[in-house]
Amino acid sequence: DVKVTQSSRYLVKRTGEKVFLECVQDMDHENMFWYRQDPGLGLRLIYFSYDVKMKEKGDIPEGYSVSREKKERFSLILESASTNQTSMYLCASSSPRQGATVEQYFGPGTRLTVT
Amino acid sequence: AQSVTQPDIHITVSEGASLELRCNYSYGATPYLFWYVQSPGQGLQLLLKYFSGDTLVQGIKGFEAEFKRSQSSFNLRKPSVHWSDAAEYFCAVGAGAAGNKLTFGGGTRVLVKP
C-alpha cells in the first residue's frame, strides 16, 4: 500500500515566519506534488517534481518554493508566511511506471494557520 | 488551459437513495478524467478514472461514471447511498504525460440523511 505522510496535521505560524512543510512517500515514486485546498476552489497545484532536484511551477507558485534532495521527500517552503497562505496543504505522489493513466496518491494534509 | 466545473457545492441525499454528481470539463485534447473522494480528516482517495475505451467506468465503493464527449461531462453516480458516502467529491482532468498534471473542480460536499 502506498503511504504518503506529511510532517504535521496542524500548524500555526506567525506572519513573516519561514515555514517548512514536509512530505515523504514510501513507494519509490518519481513524481511528487504540492497542492493547496480552499473551500469552493478545490485543489490548486503549487509545485511539482518529476525527479530529484527537478521542480516545475504549478498554477499558483507565488510565495512558495520547494526542495527535493531525495526521491522520497518533497518539501514546501513558505519563505515569509502571510495570512493569505492559511490553507490546507496536500502532498501527492505518483509514478509513470503505473501505466497509461497515472493515479496520484495523497497524504492526509497539513492545515496551516498563519496569524 | 484545462478547467473543471462542479456545479453543485452541496448535495443532500437520503440513505438508500441514488446519487449523481455533475462534472463538466474543458480540455482541448482527449481528457484523462478522475473522481476522488475526501472523507472528513482524510486525504483524497481515487474512486475511478477514464482515458479511453468504454465510456461507462466502474470504480470502488459501488461508484460509476459516464464520459460524454458531446457534453464535456463526466458525471459520477451511485445507485444506493450509504451513510459512509458522506464526504467531499472532486472531479479532475489530467494533462501532460499520462494525464499526470491534474486540474480539480471546486468539489461537491455530500450529506447523507438517515
Side-chain angles (χ1 to χ4, degrees):
Chain A
D1 234 14
V2 176
K3 189 120 181 177
V4 180
T5 56
Q6 296 183 230
S7 51
S8 306
R9 292 300 299 271
Y10 299 94
L11 209 53
V12 180
K13 295 292 182 181
R14 294 196 180 275
T15 301
E17 279 193 79
K18 190 168 185 175
V19 181
F20 293 86
L21 302 182
E22 306 286 341
C23 174
V24 177
Q25 50 92 5
D26 67 358
M27 282 301 293
D28 199 35
H29 282 175
E30 290 80 3
N31 307 327
M32 295 189 75
F33 307 82
W34 274 107
Y35 296 88
R36 64 176 282 175
Q37 180 182 4
D38 299 289
L41 298 178
L43 280 73
R44 292 177 291 166
L45 183 63
I46 304 171
Y47 267 97
F48 59 106
S49 169
Y50 287 140
D51 203 350
V52 175
K53 297 192 186 295
M54 304 286 288
K55 60 184 179 184
E56 288 194 34
K57 292 180 181 179
D59 300 317
I60 52 164
E62 297 77 19
Y64 303 94
S65 62
V66 290
S67 172
R68 190 156 181 213
E69 297 296 319
K70 294 185 177 181
K71 191 175 185 180
E72 68 272 16
R73 188 180 296 269
F74 192 35
S75 302
L76 180 69
I77 304 157
L78 287 66
E79 295 288 344
S80 178
S82 65
T83 54
N84 63 13
Q85 292 178 310
T86 291
S87 187
M88 171 73 87
Y89 291 88
L90 291 167
C91 176
S93 72
S94 69
S95 172
R97 290 173 282 136
Q98 291 174 44
T101 50
V102 182
E103 175 183 350
Q104 292 187 19
Y105 295 86
F106 284 82
T110 296
R111 185 166 294 282
L112 173 67
T113 302
V114 183
T115 61
Chain B
Q2 62 270 22
S3 66
V4 178
T5 302
Q6 294 180 244
D8 304 304
I9 298 173
H10 292 103
I11 285 182
T12 299
V13 61
S14 296
E15 193 167 14
S18 63
L19 175 69
E20 181 167 12
L21 304 182
R22 296 183 290 164
C23 172
N24 293 99
Y25 68 90
S26 171
Y27 186 57
T30 301
Y32 295 85
L33 294 163
F34 304 81
W35 274 100
Y36 281 86
V37 61
Q38 185 179 37
S39 299
Q42 304 291 316
L44 273 69
Q45 181 183 20
L46 181 70
L47 285 175
L48 47 79
K49 60 187 178 184
Y50 171 81
F51 171 57
S52 64
D54 194 345
T55 56
L56 186 62
V57 181
Q58 301 298 319
I60 63 170
K61 305 187 181 194
F63 285 92
E64 66 178 25
E66 186 171 13
F67 170 61
K68 292 186 177 180
R69 185 186 298 275
S70 61
Q71 297 177 20
S72 298
S73 70
F74 189 55
N75 293 349
L76 182 72
R77 298 193 292 254
K78 185 168 184 177
S80 177
V81 167
H82 186 261
W83 64 265
S84 60
D85 294 321
E88 190 156 22
Y89 294 79
F90 294 95
C91 181
V93 61
N100 198 33
K101 190 179 170 205
L102 297 181
T103 298
F104 285 84
T108 298
R109 185 169 296 278
V110 173
L111 303 175
V112 180
K113 291 190 302 184

